[in-house]
Amino acid sequence: GRSFGEIAQSGKAGCPSCYTTFYDRLLPSIQRIHGKAKHTGKVPAGAGDRLKKEQELDALRQQLAQCIAEQQYEECAALRDRIRAIELLGGEKGDYALVNPNDHVNYGQSTNDVFPSAGKLAVLKLLVRAQIQLERLSEALEAKAEEFDDVLKMGRTQMQDAVPIRLGQEFRAYSWVVRRDIARFERAKDEMRRLNMGGTAIGTGINADERYLRRIIPNLSKVTGLELVQASDLIDATQNLDGLVAVSGAVKTCAVNLSKMSNDLRLMSSGPRCGFSEINLPPRQNGSSIMPGKVNPVIPEVVSQVAFNIIGNDVTVTMAAEAGQLELNAFEPIIFYNLIQSVETLTYAVHTFVDNCVTGITANRERCRDMVEHSVGIITALCPHVGYEKAAEVAKRDRKSVV
C-alpha cells in the first residue's frame, strides 16, 4: 500500500551506507513510475514483483559487502554473478531503461580516479603482508644475535682483515636495518591511504554528485576495513604520482638491504674448506650434478635475484611517473604492475629467507676464533699504547713471517 517514493526512502534507510547512492541514482526512475501511478490512481502492473526483486537485489548487495569485509573472495565472486540489476528489476539484458551502466552504475566515476585508488588499495594491503614477514625476519636475526653473542670473529673492510667483532653484533646490525625498512613501509602505507576518489576525470570532480564526493571515502574505509583519506587537492592527486615513486623507493631500499645481507651470508659461509667458513647455512638441495657433495647458498641467491628485479621495477616506476603530461599520467598501469610485483616477490623472498635460511644458521666457533688469533688485525688494539708507527712495523714483520 506504500508509494514507490516511500519504498525508495525506506530502502535508503535500511541499506548499508556504502550503497545509499544506488537509491539516489535509481530514485528518478522510480519517481517517474510513481508519477504514472498517481495519474491513473492505480499501482503499475507488476509493481509488487518488481519491489520483491529490488529487495532481493538489496539483500545480495549487503551480503556482498559482508563478504568483501571478511575477504571471502570465492563467495564474493559467486554473489557478484548473482547481482544482475536489470534482470532482477524485471528488465532484459541490454535494456538500459531501468539501470544504465553510465548514468546509474558509473554515475560520475572515472577511470582516472577509480583505477589509481584501486591500485593504491592493493598496494596498501600488500605492504601490510610484507611488513609481517619483515617483522619475522627482524625477530629471527635478533635471536641469532643473542645466540652468537659470544662468538668472536675477524671483521673485514674492503675484503681485508680489519679488527675483531662478535658474530652476534653482525646479526644485530642486520636486524636494525630491517627495522628501518619496516618503518619505511609504515610511511609508505600513509602514502597509499590518500585517494583521489571523487576527482573524476582530472580532479575537478565534474559530474560527481556532492553526496557521493562526501561519502565515497568513508564508505570505502568501512568496506575495506582500512583507514583511508581523501586527498587534500584532488587535481594534484590525479596528475602527480610522487607517492607511488616514494613507495617503490622504499621497497627498493629494502631489497638492496636484503641483497647486501645475503652477500654477507654467502661470503661467511663460503668453503667449506677453502673459504671463510665462519657460519653454516642450512643445506636445501644438491649444489651440482657433476661435483659430489657441493651445496650452494641457494636461498640467499634467491633473495638477491628478487632484489635485482625490484631495482629494475623501480626504474620503470620512476620513468613512468616522470612521463605524465598535464592533468593525467597515462602510465599508471605499468607503475602498478611493477610495484605490485615488487611488493609481492619481496614478501615471498623474505618468507623463504626466514624459514629456509636464517633460522637454521649455525656458527663455526673454533674456526672464527682461530682466524682472529692468526690475524694481523688485532695489532690495531695496541695503537693507543705503542703508537701507529710501531704497531704498523710489527704488523708488516708479522705478515712477512706468515707461512
Side-chain angles (χ1 to χ4, degrees):
R2 295 185 296 170
S3 69
F4 269 67
E6 291 170 337
I7 292 169
Q9 292 300 323
S10 63
K12 284 178 62 177
C15 76
S17 58
C18 51
Y19 294 113
T20 54
T21 53
F22 175 84
Y23 289 93
D24 295 333
R25 298 196 294 267
L26 200 57
L27 190 55
S29 297
I30 296 174
Q31 286 172 334
R32 283 196 296 272
I33 298 171
H34 177 51
K36 292 179 183 178
K38 277 188 174 180
H39 180 72
T40 61
K42 297 179 181 179
V43 176
D49 291 340
R50 183 169 295 178
L51 174 58
K52 182 178 180 182
K53 289 175 181 178
E54 186 181 331
Q55 290 171 336
E56 291 174 357
L57 180 60
D58 182 53
L60 285 171
R61 286 197 301 270
Q62 293 188 46
Q63 290 178 45
L64 180 60
Q66 185 67 24
C67 286
I68 293 171
E70 296 177 0
Q71 298 184 359
Q72 298 173 348
Y73 299 118
E74 290 184 6
E75 191 172 342
C76 283
L79 283 169
R80 182 192 60 210
D81 293 339
R82 292 175 59 195
I83 298 179
R84 307 178 307 279
I86 293 173
E87 294 172 89
L88 288 172
L89 290 173
E92 295 182 359
K93 289 181 180 178
D95 178 8
Y96 295 152
L98 284 173
V99 181
N100 186 285
N102 292 103
D103 295 334
H104 299 140
V105 179
N106 194 59
Y107 193 66
Q109 295 180 93
S110 168
T111 308
N112 301 348
D113 60 354
V114 174
F115 182 82
S117 295
K120 286 185 174 182
L121 292 180
V123 173
L124 180 55
K125 289 198 170 188
L126 291 174
L127 286 171
V128 172
R129 298 176 190 175
Q131 278 186 304
I132 292 171
Q133 296 305 319
L134 289 171
E135 289 282 359
R136 293 181 64 234
L137 176 58
S138 178
E139 291 170 4
L141 291 167
E142 187 62 34
K144 288 299 171 182
E146 294 292 333
E147 181 182 344
F148 302 149
D149 193 52
D150 63 337
V151 179
L152 193 64
K153 57 159 286 186
M154 202 63 206
R156 299 175 181 85
T157 59
Q158 295 166 280
M159 296 299 292
Q160 302 296 309
D161 292 0
V163 295
I165 188 173
R166 296 195 306 277
L167 184 60
Q169 290 175 309
E170 288 185 318
F171 274 80
R172 183 160 285 111
Y174 298 147
S175 177
W176 271 106
V177 75
V178 173
R179 299 302 308 176
R180 288 199 300 278
D181 285 321
I182 293 170
R184 290 189 190 96
F185 275 38
E186 195 62 34
R187 293 192 291 273
K189 284 159 57 180
D190 288 337
E191 293 282 359
M192 295 297 93
R193 288 190 175 97
R194 286 190 287 274
L195 308 181
N196 69 327
M197 282 299 293
T200 67
I202 62 172
T204 60
I206 188 170
N207 290 353
D209 189 289
E210 185 272 335
R211 292 164 296 180
Y212 169 82
L213 195 61
R214 283 188 288 105
R215 293 169 179 170
I216 183 61
I217 296 299
N219 291 332
L220 272 177
S221 296
K222 291 177 184 177
V223 171
T224 62
L226 301 170
E227 295 180 12
L228 307 173
V229 295
Q230 198 164 47
S232 301
D233 189 313
L234 294 177
I235 296 175
D236 164 46
T238 301
Q239 65 178 256
N240 297 315
L241 306 183
D242 50 295
L244 294 170
V245 177
V247 173
S248 182
V251 177
K252 180 197 70 173
T253 301
C254 181
V256 169
N257 290 335
L258 294 175
S259 189
K260 188 271 179 185
M261 190 187 309
S262 297
N263 294 339
D264 290 354
L265 297 182
R266 293 208 310 275
L267 277 173
M268 289 191 287
S269 66
S270 62
R273 296 290 182 270
C274 302
F276 287 6
S277 194
E278 295 173 340
I279 63 173
N280 303 304
L281 303 183
R284 293 305 174 194
Q285 65 183 55
N286 292 329
S288 172
S289 59
I290 194 172
M291 293 173 280
K294 188 171 184 287
V295 179
N296 294 332
V298 291
I299 302 302
E301 289 171 349
V302 164
V303 174
S304 288
Q305 289 178 80
V306 169
F308 303 157
N309 189 63
I310 290 173
I311 293 167
N313 284 347
D314 181 65
V315 174
T316 300
V317 170
T318 302
M319 297 308 298
E322 180 274 337
Q325 300 97 12
L326 302 176
E327 276 67 57
L328 182 69
N329 189 307
F331 308 108
E332 286 174 329
I334 193 64
I335 290 177
F336 282 117
Y337 179 87
N338 283 275
L339 182 54
I340 287 172
Q341 183 189 70
S342 291
V343 182
E344 283 190 317
T345 53
L346 181 88
T347 303
Y348 298 145
V350 175
H351 182 274
T352 195
F353 194 35
V354 174
D355 291 349
N356 295 311
C357 182
V358 175
T359 56
I361 294 174
T362 58
N364 292 325
R365 296 170 181 269
E366 294 303 320
R367 168 73 172 167
C368 290
R369 177 171 288 279
D370 183 66
M371 283 195 288
V372 169
E373 292 176 349
H374 289 84
S375 172
V376 178
I378 58 177
I379 197 68
T380 302
L382 295 179
C383 286
H385 306 285
V386 301
Y388 181 89
E389 295 297 331
K390 289 185 178 180
E393 183 181 341
V394 172
K396 291 175 183 178
R397 186 167 61 245
D398 183 73
R399 290 185 66 172
K400 290 179 180 179
S401 67
V402 173
V403 178

